Amino acid sequence: AKEVSGSGIRVMSFFPGFILQDKNSAEIAMEQDKLLKPEDVAQTVLNAITVHKRAVISEMDIFPSEL
C-alpha cells in the first residue's frame, strides 16, 4: 500500500471463509446452504470497492453467519 500512497489507488486485503465451490461441495460435511456462495463474496467485494473515495477499507474477513 505504501508503494501507491498518494496515487489514488486503494489497497485492500480480503479474507473469505468457507465458500461453496464445485470442487469442495462433496467433501464438506456442514450444511451446504449455510456456506457462502461465490456471488456472496463477489457482492461483498463490489460493495467494498465502491465506498466513497474518502473511505478506505484496508482489510475484510467474511465468513458464513451460521457456523
Side-chain angles (χ1 to χ4, degrees):
K2 288 183 180 181
E3 297 85 17
V4 295
S5 179
S7 67
I9 297 173
R10 296 183 285 183
V11 177
M12 179 178 73
S13 298
F14 187 75
F15 305 99
F18 297 103
I19 302 170
L20 182 62
Q21 302 174 38
D22 288 341
K23 66 180 182 180
N24 68 2
S25 61
E27 300 169 4
I28 297 178
M30 45 177 117
E31 296 178 48
Q32 293 183 4
D33 61 329
K34 293 183 179 179
L35 294 176
L36 294 172
K37 295 180 180 153
E39 55 266 31
D40 300 329
V41 176
Q43 184 63 52
T44 303
V45 170
L46 180 61
N47 292 341
I49 65 173
T50 57
V51 298
H52 196 277
K53 64 182 179 181
R54 290 185 303 255
V56 174
I57 299 172
S58 62
E59 199 171 278
M60 181 180 292
D61 296 317
I62 178 173
F63 296 97
S65 59
E66 297 184 29
L67 280 182

